[in-house]
Amino acid sequence: MSETRVHLSKTEPAAYQALDAFARTVGDICAANGIDDRLKEIVMIHCSQLNGCSYCARLHVDRALKAGLDTDTITQIPVWRESGVFSDRERAALELAEAFTFIADDGVSDEVYDLVGSVFTEKEYAALSWACVSINAFNRIVIAGRYPVPPRAPQAQA
């Protein structure tokens, strides 16, 4: 992708800074409402993968590793339905992530809402929902701007 695109973050930095502040608020809401970084990063990675956002997927994999996720768990995210490595909370969060990412298909169906509501409190549900809204917004900005994801230097690879 050698085509140069408008980077919304550079062309209108005030809007991007507001979105970044929103994302920080969402992080605070997650922490205050019992959503740890491990669970939050699983959601962020999955939304980014579903949207095809390689830039955000890399960023959130790095954050997930810092939050204590291991590489096996991270590699299982795309196939979470077939994998036995995720807890009920993680599975419900992944289900919610898919509903928010593909919101135009069915919204958040009653089935998903009831499943997630049976696992999370109202505050946890709200925190995870805002996390999904936040990452989906970033994914759209980054994909539209075709933010580059170059190979890492050999010393930075795990």
Side-chain angles (χ1 to χ4, degrees):
M1 288 190 249
S2 61
E3 178 183 337
T4 302
R5 294 278 180 119
V6 171
H7 277 225
L8 298 176
S9 60
K10 294 177 184 174
T11 304
E12 290 294 342
Y16 189 83
Q17 290 164 0
L19 182 59
D20 187 56
F22 167 69
R24 292 179 194 281
T25 299
V26 168
D28 292 344
I29 289 168
C30 285
N33 292 330
I35 304 301
D36 63 21
D37 286 343
R38 173 188 165 88
L39 183 57
K40 183 179 72 172
E41 293 305 331
I42 288 172
V43 166
M44 299 299 200
I45 292 167
H46 195 44
C47 290
S48 297
Q49 290 171 333
L50 294 171
N51 282 317
C53 187
S54 58
Y55 184 93
C56 291
R58 175 184 276 178
L59 175 78
H60 289 285
V61 164
D62 289 347
R63 290 180 181 176
L65 291 168
K66 288 178 186 169
L69 266 82
D70 57 64
T71 54
D72 181 61
T73 302
I74 292 169
T75 61
Q76 293 295 301
I77 293 171
V79 293
W80 69 271
R81 289 182 196 284
E82 292 79 28
S83 177
V85 304
F86 298 101
S87 69
D88 287 344
R89 284 175 61 84
E90 292 164 341
R91 296 176 77 74
L94 287 161
E95 195 77 64
L96 189 63
E98 290 184 6
F100 267 90
T101 301
F102 302 124
I103 197 92
D105 293 344
D106 294 318
V108 177
S109 70
D110 291 342
E111 179 181 71
V112 169
Y113 184 83
D114 291 344
L115 169 73
V116 176
S118 73
V119 175
F120 292 108
T121 67
E122 181 178 341
K123 290 284 204 174
E124 290 170 328
Y125 177 91
L128 284 170
S129 295
W130 281 118
C132 292
V133 169
S134 174
I135 191 60
N136 276 284
F138 276 108
N139 290 165
R140 279 145 181 79
I141 292 165
V142 170
I143 292 167
R146 292 189 179 166
Y147 286 35
V149 182
R152 292 189 193 247
Q155 68 271 20
Q157 292 179 351

